[in-house]
């Protein structure tokens, strides 16, 4: 039962352009959604979150959009930098405390 | 303010041995979560603990796996009689004291378990 899905395993973007990472979910009971960035051999690093009652949250170059009717969220990174190259995971927070993660999207930002 | 600490970073065990993974949460955090990442997959929830209490162990395999978070000391994830399928990266996360902030989970660097 895959409650959170990231259908694109990889994404390649030119430096300075926008990166858009997508995530779909099936569980309407998630109260928060989060994005994490992960480098190889390291733990996930928290990037940005959004409450299920909001439709947008912005923090510097990172913006997360939530479309509840479509059960879809996206992370926009503008402008993209080579240091943004990593695997990005979206996660839904279950009110009981657990995070349910997608499979991840590997972002490559080319100079 | 130190982040979430995990040790060891790498652990090699032969089939049938026991593996013990340790996690010290961030200062001021009293909620600990364990997740497992198998190769080419996302992270999967295993267990959620508070001091001396298991809150949710719905992701733990029924046999050989156990977790604790004692009053003093780190949280321990214990795997008895390891098998090759246990080879994975095990991540610990912690969140602040108030359960309403359990969505703010900060991760440690992980322990990479290899079973030979």
């Amino acid at each position: 039962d895959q409650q959170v899905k990231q259908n694109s395993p990889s994404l390649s973007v030119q430096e300075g352009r926008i990166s858009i990472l997508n995530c779909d979910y099936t569980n309407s009971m998630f109260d928060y959604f989060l994005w994490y960035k992960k480098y190889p051999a390291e733990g996930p690093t928290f990037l940005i979150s959004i409450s299920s009652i909001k439709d947008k949250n912005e923090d510097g170059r990172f913006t997360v959009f939530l479309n509840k009717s479509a059960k879809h969220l996206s992370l926009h990174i503008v402008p993209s930098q080579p240091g943004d190259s990593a695997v990005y995971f979206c996660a839904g927070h279950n009110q009981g405390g657990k995070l349910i993660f997608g499979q991840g999207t590997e972002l490559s930002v080319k100079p | 303010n130190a982040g979430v600490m995990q040790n060891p970073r790498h652990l090699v065990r032969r089939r049938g041995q026991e593996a013990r993974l340790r996690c010290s949460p961030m200062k001021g955090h009293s909620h600990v979560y364990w997740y497992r990442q198998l190769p080419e997959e996302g992270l999967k929830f295993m267990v959620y603990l508070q001091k001396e209490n298991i809150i949710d162990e719905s992701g733990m395999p029924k046999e050989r796996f156990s977790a604790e978070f004692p009053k003093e000391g780190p949280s321990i994830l214990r795997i008895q009689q390891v098998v090759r399928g246990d080879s994975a990266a095990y991540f610990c996360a912690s969140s602040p004291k108030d359960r309403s902030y359990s969505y703010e989970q900060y991760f440690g660097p992980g322990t990479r378990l290899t079973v030979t």
Side-chain angles (χ1 to χ4, degrees):
Chain A
D1 176 24
Q2 191 72 35
Q3 298 182 46
V4 178
K5 284 186 182 177
Q6 294 176 256
N7 291 316
S8 299
S10 62
L11 174 68
S12 184
V13 169
Q14 206 67 32
E15 181 180 5
R17 307 294 287 266
I18 185 171
S19 295
I20 300 177
L21 297 112
N22 294 302
C23 181
D24 297 298
Y25 63 95
T26 58
N27 187 343
S28 300
M29 299 304 292
F30 289 137
D31 60 352
Y32 279 89
F33 298 90
L34 302 91
W35 284 93
Y36 286 85
K37 173 182 177 180
K38 187 179 181 303
Y39 294 117
E42 294 185 13
T45 301
F46 170 74
L47 272 178
I48 191 168
S49 65
I50 187 167
S51 164
S52 61
I53 62 173
K54 305 278 189 188
D55 53 23
K56 179 182 173 181
N57 188 26
E58 192 172 350
D59 183 1
R61 296 187 298 117
F62 302 93
T63 304
V64 56
F65 295 92
L66 176 61
N67 182 333
K68 286 183 284 295
S69 60
K71 293 186 177 165
H72 177 84
L73 63 154
S74 60
L75 175 68
H76 293 212
I77 307 173
V78 181
S80 301
Q81 301 171 354
D84 295 329
S85 297
V87 178
Y88 288 78
F89 291 98
C90 72
H93 176 259
N94 176 299
Q95 291 178 40
K98 68 174 86 167
L99 294 177
I100 309 294
F101 284 85
Q103 308 94 307
T105 297
E106 184 171 8
L107 174 65
S108 176
V109 180
K110 302 197 181 303
Chain B
N1 187 12
V4 177
M5 311 278 281
Q6 286 188 253
N7 67 81
R9 294 292 306 274
H10 299 274
L11 183 61
V12 180
R13 285 286 176 267
R14 289 202 180 98
R15 277 180 297 170
Q17 291 185 320
E18 178 179 289
R20 281 189 181 231
L21 289 63
R22 291 175 207 80
C23 169
S24 296
M26 284 178 72
K27 188 176 180 181
H29 287 190
S30 57
H31 298 244
V32 164
Y33 313 79
W34 286 93
Y35 294 83
R36 174 166 68 173
Q37 185 182 25
L38 295 168
E40 308 302 323
E41 292 189 15
L43 284 78
K44 298 272 196 273
F45 169 81
M46 298 181 76
V47 63
Y48 168 18
L49 309 112
Q50 277 182 285
K51 288 277 186 184
E52 300 184 285
N53 221 358
I54 297 175
I55 306 298
D56 180 357
E57 56 182 347
S58 59
M60 288 280 268
K62 295 282 185 280
E63 296 174 353
R64 303 187 297 108
F65 285 72
S66 62
E68 62 175 2
F69 189 15
K71 190 176 179 181
E72 302 290 336
S75 174
I76 307 283
L77 178 68
R78 183 180 176 211
I79 312 172
Q80 295 178 288
Q81 298 175 321
V82 296
V83 301
R84 287 223 172 100
D86 297 333
S87 295
Y90 292 81
F91 293 98
C92 170
S94 71
S95 67
K97 198 172 186 179
D98 188 336
R99 191 168 173 177
S100 63
Y101 288 93
S102 68
Y103 67 92
E104 288 188 8
Q105 294 184 23
Y106 296 90
F107 283 79
T111 294
R112 273 137 195 93
L113 172 66
T114 302
V115 179
T116 61

